[in-house]
Amino acid sequence: MTPITAPLAELAPVGLTELVDQAALQTRIDRKYVVPLDELPHLLAELSAYARVLDIDGARVFRYESVYFDTPRLASYHYAAYRRRRRFKVRTRSYLDSAQCWLEVKISGARGSCTKHRLPYRPQDRATVHPGRAFVQEALEREAVCPPAGSALDPVLVTTYRRMTLLLPATASRVTVDTDLTWQDGDRILRLPDLAVVETKTGRAVSPADRLLWQRGTRPVRISKYATGLAALRPELPDSPWRRTLRRHFRDSTPSAGTAPSTTLRSVQEASCV
C-alpha cells in the first residue's frame, strides 16, 4: 500500500466515457506543478470535495509509456528551447494496462494553449512513426508547424510513469498526477521516485486544483516530459526555459545505466520523412 492509496480510495469514481464527455479538452490550457510525493495524500484529500477519479474495473492508477520522436537535429526540442511561438511534439502513447496505443501530434501555441491530434496505433509500432507518417504530416501542415524539409523522425526518448486522472465537474476540467517517473535516452536512465508531476487541464478558467496548489505556495513550473527530461540527460543541450526546474528537481538525480523501460530506443530506419 502506498501513501496515496487511502485518499485515492476516498474519491468518488468516474468512468472513462463520462470523463471524455465532460472534459475531452483536446484544445486547452495546461499548468504543470512538481510536488513532493509525500505531499500528495494531503492534496488528494483537499480535492475530494471537488474531484472524481477515473476508475476502470476497480483500478485507479494506470501505467503509461511514451516514445518521443524528433528530427536528427532535434527540431522539436530546439523549437521548445528557443520558445518558438508554434511548437510541436510527436509521440506514441501506450496504455500498458489495456494494451492500447495512440500516435499523437501536440501543437503548442500562444499563451499556453495546446492542441492534440490523435490516431489509434498498433502497440507493436510504438517505436516508429512510419505507419502514421501521413497523419503526422497532415497534422503539422494543418497547424502550419513543420520541421525542416526532408527530416526523418526517429525515436529519441522513452518515458514511463503511473498516472491517476481526476475530473473536476464544476469546471469541466481534468487533473493528472504522474508518479514513478522514468526517462530513458539510449542506455542512460533517469528516475525521480520522490516527485510527482501534477498537471491541470482547463478550458479558460483556473480549476479548484490550481487554487488549492497556489494556496499551498506551489506555483506552476516550466516542465516538459520530453524537453526537460532530454535536457537532464544531455546537459550539453540548451535548457534556458527549464533551467530553474532542472536545478531544483533534476540536477541532483544522476542518470545511470540500468534496466530499460519496456520499449528500448533504437534507430528506426523506416522512420517517416515529414
Side-chain angles (χ1 to χ4, degrees), residues 53-175:
V53 62
L54 175 64
D55 186 300
I56 301 177
D57 297 329
R60 298 188 169 194
V61 181
F62 306 94
R63 295 177 301 143
Y64 282 57
E65 176 191 87
S66 296
V67 181
Y68 290 90
F69 301 86
D70 212 334
T71 69
R73 294 189 177 183
L74 302 180
S76 174
Y77 178 88
H78 284 94
Y79 285 6
Y82 293 115
R83 306 301 296 168
R84 281 191 54 161
R85 183 172 180 179
R86 303 282 286 171
R87 305 181 298 278
F88 74 96
K89 272 188 278 192
V90 178
R91 72 185 179 198
T92 56
R93 167 162 287 176
S94 299
Y95 301 84
L96 300 180
D97 296 299
S98 61
Q100 293 184 5
C101 184
W102 296 80
L103 176 63
E104 300 182 341
V105 180
K106 292 184 69 177
I107 308 296
S108 298
R111 292 182 287 277
S113 65
C114 176
T115 302
K116 183 190 293 186
H117 305 271
R118 306 182 85 203
L119 176 73
Y121 219 53
R122 298 194 310 167
Q124 58 267 39
D125 291 330
R126 65 189 185 273
T128 175
V129 296
H130 180 67
R133 64 186 181 274
F135 168 79
V136 173
Q137 178 73 30
E138 194 277 333
L140 291 174
E141 290 179 352
R142 186 191 316 167
E143 298 286 350
V145 179
C146 292
S151 296
L153 285 175
D154 293 320
V156 173
L157 189 72
V158 171
T159 65
T160 59
Y161 48 96
R162 296 179 182 273
R163 168 169 289 188
M164 65 194 79
T165 301
L166 310 180
L167 170 68
L168 282 62
T171 52
S173 58
R174 284 187 284 134
V175 179

Side-chain angles (χ1 to χ4, degrees), residues 180-196:
D180 294 338
L181 295 150
T182 301
W183 290 260
Q184 182 205 355
D185 170 23
D187 62 355
R188 290 171 292 184
I189 297 175
L190 175 66
R191 296 182 176 90
L192 296 180
D194 299 323
L195 295 176

